[in-house]
Amino acid sequence: MNKTISAEDLNIHFKHNDDAALFKWLLASFLMGKRIQAEIAAEAYRVIADKHGRDTPSKLAACSHRELVAMLGEAHYVRYDETTAVRLHALARKLNDEYAGKVSHMVEASADRQAFEKRLAEFDGIGPKTVEIFMREAGSAISL
């Protein structure tokens, strides 16, 4: 059975509309939202954000596809490494291009929680499971 991994387990601590923590949790939620063991997804987050310091949308967007695949491989996140690398890159670019790299700008652009969740789901690779994981922890940190 998969253990539920919390933001705290990944050393992510939310303050009100804290963009750094919101993005880190979005990245972790994205990785955990796939059909992959939670611990492998958590390790992929640690490798990307902690070990390699790709913990902001601009730093993640600056990665090459090959670098992202290598980081995912380092964490044994190999089942979906190619598509995940493409989608992580797209996630970072879209966040940078449409929301100036800030999850809080997505919050501000949303009338309510439902509208925010709809915006999240517009990112390639983010489905209902990823939205659910993200909102489970971040819901109280964003004001909607």
Side-chain angles (χ1 to χ4, degrees):
M1 186 177 134
N2 270 350
K3 172 192 181 301
T4 297
I5 295 183
S6 70
E8 196 170 282
D9 292 334
L10 297 174
N11 207 22
I12 300 169
H13 306 284
F14 296 106
K15 294 180 218 66
H16 185 69
N17 281 352
D18 175 353
D19 269 305
L22 288 170
F23 178 72
K24 288 177 182 181
W25 183 241
L26 180 59
L27 174 59
S29 300
F30 182 90
L31 294 164
M32 289 188 282
K34 307 294 168 267
R35 289 193 172 126
I36 199 153
Q37 291 175 1
E39 202 40 65
I40 290 174
E43 184 59 21
Y45 167 80
R46 289 183 194 103
V47 167
I48 293 168
D50 297 339
K51 184 176 179 190
H52 292 279
R54 306 300 186 158
D55 58 356
T56 68
S58 56
K59 289 177 186 173
L60 191 62
C63 285
S64 70
H65 177 77
R66 188 180 302 270
E67 287 172 318
L68 280 170
V69 170
M71 285 185 253
L72 291 165
E74 193 178 326
H76 306 289
Y77 194 109
V78 291
R79 188 168 171 197
Y80 304 106
D81 59 344
E82 291 286 336
T83 55
T84 299
V86 168
R87 288 172 169 173
L88 280 172
H89 209 252
L91 171 95
R93 279 199 322 269
K94 182 177 171 86
L95 200 53
N96 283 328
D97 294 348
E98 296 181 21
Y99 300 102
K102 295 182 181 291
V103 176
S104 64
H105 288 179
M106 286 175 62
V107 174
E108 291 162 12
S110 304
D112 55 25
R113 182 183 174 120
Q114 189 177 9
F116 176 76
E117 289 179 4
K118 186 175 183 288
R119 284 178 192 278
L120 271 181
E122 289 170 358
F123 286 84
D124 189 26
I126 293 185
K129 187 68 185 168
T130 301
V131 171
E132 176 191 318
I133 293 167
F134 180 78
M135 294 306 289
R136 180 185 75 218
E137 304 267 335
S140 60
I142 55 180
S143 46
L144 286 170

